[in-house]
Amino acid sequence: MMSVEKSVRERYSEGAREKQEALCCPVDYDRELLKLLPREIIDKDYGCGDPSRYVREGDTVLDLGSGGGKICYMAAQLVGPRGLVIGVDMNDDMLALARKYQVEMAEKLGGDRVRFHKGYIQDLALDVAAMERYLAERPVTDATSLAALKSWQAEQRKTRPLIADASVDLVISNCVLNLVADDEKSQLVREIFRVLKPGGRVAISDIVADEPVPRHLKDDPTLWSGCISGAFEEREFVRAFEQAGFSAVCLDKWETEPWQVIENIEFRAVTLVAFKGYGR
């Protein structure tokens, strides 16, 4: 079976080249914030909610799976000149689309307050672009070079993390957590907790299922990259953030009508909000 990562990468690379209707569901975005954005970014955005609604002036915002940069550029208008917006994505084509308009958007915003980084959202300390430069000079060819890479990764995470501990006011994402493999979802939520400042907030728009997704659906790479197979079960979504140490975890938005129904399982858009206590 095609790996989760390969399936997602290929599907969203296609989405960066040509609009893919099946990758998104209808969302009512703030039209005033959209006015500044290039048409290409709007057309090639894939989401299920609008976490930009939770951004405050002066925030440092981290957008997980930032794609073509739509939510980042919307958030940049809200954080103002004292704020910063950081997008993290693993897809080179999506990063290229977001960066294509960075200079133009900085001029419109009156300042360059958006950054895009290549990284895994479940491993926010690892600088993937730096790792790729390392591998270009020191390719892994045997057990010794593999050990050297692992040592380099550990040192890089510790001394030069892509996203530092307690450095972010608000973590947002838009229909991305469901693209992470099940065995990495707990690590993903812990990483969100790590990078947030005490008092930091979470606003995650995603697709959830009303009951556990069976194995044969999870094994379908098309359904996975289409934001279906990797969906959290609704109650488990909330529980994962509670177990990571978050407070006041709740679904602030819950669509009554499911986005899709597959084998009697309802998949719908929700927005989860949570808070990192000041003592954490």
Side-chain angles (χ1 to χ4, degrees):
M1 188 189 79
M2 183 185 297
S3 71
V4 169
E5 182 181 334
K6 187 173 187 291
S7 172
V8 170
R9 183 174 64 250
E10 291 182 356
R11 186 84 178 269
Y12 281 81
S13 288
E14 292 174 7
R17 292 189 289 269
E18 186 175 350
K19 186 174 181 178
Q20 305 284 320
E21 297 287 355
L23 287 178
C24 55
C25 50
V27 180
D28 183 22
Y29 293 103
D30 187 326
R31 295 186 180 183
E32 288 300 311
L33 296 179
L34 293 178
K35 285 181 179 179
L36 285 186
L37 273 62
R39 187 76 244 172
E40 184 180 14
I41 285 180
I42 294 173
D43 287 344
K44 295 176 180 176
D45 173 75
Y46 307 104
C48 59
D50 182 10
S52 71
R53 298 177 185 273
Y54 299 85
V55 176
R56 300 173 185 169
E57 186 175 359
D59 274 346
T60 294
V61 177
L62 174 63
D63 183 12
L64 303 180
S66 50
K70 176 179 172 179
I71 297 294
C72 286
Y73 288 128
M74 293 172 68
Q77 299 172 62
L78 298 169
V79 299
R82 296 184 297 109
L84 176 68
V85 181
I86 304 163
V88 173
D89 205 284
M90 256 306 293
N91 188 288
D92 289 318
D93 295 305
M94 282 295 183
L95 286 167
L97 174 59
R99 290 166 176 163
K100 177 180 177 180
Y101 295 98
Q102 203 163 355
V103 173
E104 175 185 328
M105 288 302 301
E107 292 174 353
K108 290 180 178 180
L109 292 166
D112 183 12
R113 62 185 79 132
V114 182
R115 305 285 182 271
F116 294 105
H117 297 302
K118 186 172 184 178
Y120 297 106
I121 64 173
Q122 66 271 33
D123 189 358
L124 291 166
L126 181 63
D127 185 335
V128 173
M131 182 179 69
E132 289 177 338
R133 292 192 294 271
Y134 172 95
L135 287 170
E137 297 177 359
R138 293 167 284 246
V140 173
T141 59
D142 53 26
T144 300
S145 55
L146 177 60
L149 171 63
K150 291 181 177 179
S151 177
W152 179 90
Q153 289 174 326
E155 180 66 15
Q156 186 271 307
R157 288 187 181 102
K158 180 179 179 181
T159 61
R160 301 177 304 281
L162 183 66
I163 309 296
D165 293 4
S167 61
V168 175
D169 297 296
L170 173 67
V171 173
I172 61 176
S173 76
N174 193 3
C175 210
V176 174
L177 270 60
N178 56 59
L179 299 176
V180 173
D182 286 343
D183 61 356
E184 296 180 310
K185 282 186 167 69
S186 294
Q187 178 184 342
L188 164 62
V189 180
R190 291 195 301 271
E191 279 289 88
I192 294 172
F193 191 87
R194 176 184 68 80
V195 302
L196 276 170
K197 299 175 183 176
R201 296 117 54 214
V202 170
I204 305 290
S205 297
D206 222 299
I207 299 295
V208 298
D210 68 342
E211 59 184 270
V213 179
R215 173 51 54 189
H216 69 277
L217 293 183
K218 287 184 177 294
D219 287 342
D220 186 326
T222 300
L223 288 178
W224 196 293
S225 61
C227 305
I228 294 294
S229 298
F232 275 95
E233 190 273 327
E234 188 175 307
R235 288 161 294 186
E236 182 57 33
F237 192 33
V238 172
R239 191 176 302 118
F241 280 80
E242 291 174 337
Q243 291 175 343
F246 285 98
S247 304
V249 185
C250 67
L251 298 181
D252 191 48
K253 183 178 179 182
W254 188 89
E255 294 291 348
T256 54
E257 290 296 321
W259 173 47
Q260 292 191 44
V261 179
I262 298 177
E263 297 185 8
N264 294 320
I265 302 172
E266 295 183 356
F267 296 87
R268 60 173 35 83
V270 302
T271 297
L272 177 145
V273 296
F275 172 81
K276 181 176 178 178
Y278 286 96
R280 302 300 179 92

